[in-house]
Amino acid sequence: GAGVSQTPSNKVTEKGKYVELRCDPISGHTALYWYRQSLGQGPEFLIYFQGTGAADDSGLPNDRFFAVRPEGSVSTLKIQRTERGDSAVYLCASSYRPGYGYTFGSGTRLTVV
Amino acid sequence: GEDVEQSLFLSVREGDSSVINCTYTDSSSTYLYWYKQEPGAGLQLLTYIFSNMDMKQDQRLTVLLNKKDKHLSLRIADTQTGDSAIYFCAEFGSSNTGKLIFGQGTTLQVKP
């Protein structure tokens, strides 16, 4: 597609529930990144995919967070047993090579109540 | 570890120049970026500079890099009200995974 698409744009969930956030990168971009942006902060790195594999997941805060990219394009960020502290905007970005030419999506605003 | 610092707020009059500053810690940074974020929107890449450059100009934007002091600045000439936004500095550091380290953002307020 023309840009990075993230769905849903907004998600409200109850504490303890499971959520999935979807990212559709720019066609042909092999690198895909997830970031989390809390209110008043800059984005923080979560995980990086090169193709289908997670090349760097050092930013995932704990084992409730997991992400997949089974066919090397669309990625899903999964959060189990959500907590109020997980409330943030989750941003996805893609690029044709690491560190260069990032394009960000508009993000998914997750609110845990 | 890697860290990027920015001042939090800048207010200027329309037509003036704005200068947003950033310091970083990773001396092996290869690219340094400036992103713009408007309310409720994603991050828009404004410009970037390679670490072997001192300056880059792109229309109203001028980026200056002082690698010795690990200081980066973004100058916006003839600032307009449409430039009001949050500006993020980011570095692509020594990791080869391409992750960016962002500052906490500078809110630019442009008064008419």
Side-chain angles (χ1 to χ4, degrees):
Chain A
V4 177
S5 175
Q6 290 188 247
T7 54
S9 54
N10 278 286
K11 176 72 177 177
V12 180
T13 191
E14 292 180 347
K15 180 175 176 294
K17 298 288 189 185
Y18 167 82
V19 295
E20 289 189 352
L21 312 179
R22 176 187 165 108
C23 172
D24 200 340
I26 290 174
S27 178
H29 280 191
T30 57
L32 184 146
Y33 304 82
W34 283 99
Y35 286 78
R36 178 167 72 173
Q37 186 175 20
S38 300
L39 194 62
Q41 300 296 316
E44 292 179 298
F45 170 79
L46 294 177
I47 188 168
Y48 155 65
F49 286 91
Q50 180 59 42
T52 60
D56 182 355
D57 64 358
S58 61
L60 294 178
N62 51 59
D63 61 7
R64 295 186 298 105
F65 288 74
F66 189 70
V68 295
R69 194 185 185 199
E71 296 177 359
S73 58
V74 170
S75 175
T76 305
L77 179 65
K78 308 179 182 204
I79 311 174
Q80 298 177 320
R81 304 183 304 280
T82 50
E83 299 177 358
R84 292 198 179 87
D86 299 335
S87 296
V89 176
Y90 289 81
L91 295 165
C92 177
S94 69
S95 70
Y96 63 87
R97 64 178 165 103
Y100 186 75
Y102 266 52
T103 300
F104 279 88
S106 297
T108 294
R109 181 175 299 279
L110 175 66
T111 305
V112 182
V113 297
Chain B
E2 301 158 323
D3 194 22
V4 177
E5 297 283 337
Q6 298 178 240
S7 52
L8 295 182
F9 186 78
L10 175 66
S11 181
V12 300
R13 291 268 177 213
E14 191 173 21
D16 288 349
S17 292
S18 308
V19 179
I20 301 171
N21 295 298
C22 169
T23 58
Y24 60 97
T25 57
D26 189 345
S27 57
S28 62
S29 293
T30 50
Y31 303 109
L32 293 136
Y33 295 88
W34 284 103
Y35 283 86
K36 177 183 180 182
Q37 188 175 44
E38 294 177 276
L43 290 160
Q44 175 195 352
L45 177 64
L46 282 180
T47 188
Y48 64 92
I49 189 167
F50 293 111
S51 59
N52 62 358
M53 297 169 66
D54 298 324
M55 186 182 88
K56 180 179 180 182
Q57 187 148 3
D58 185 359
Q59 299 181 338
R60 292 191 298 122
L61 305 178
T62 303
V63 179
L64 294 178
L65 175 60
N66 181 328
K67 201 170 178 183
K68 175 176 168 288
D69 294 338
K70 300 194 192 86
H71 182 267
L72 182 73
S73 68
L74 174 69
R75 178 177 180 270
I76 306 173
D78 186 26
T79 313
Q80 303 297 306
T81 54
D83 295 324
S84 293
I86 302 176
Y87 290 80
F88 291 95
C89 166
E91 65 165 350
F92 170 30
S94 52
S95 140
N96 63 3
T97 59
K99 70 181 182 186
L100 298 184
I101 307 299
F102 284 84
Q104 67 270 50
T106 299
T107 299
L108 175 63
Q109 179 189 66
V110 183
K111 297 179 181 176

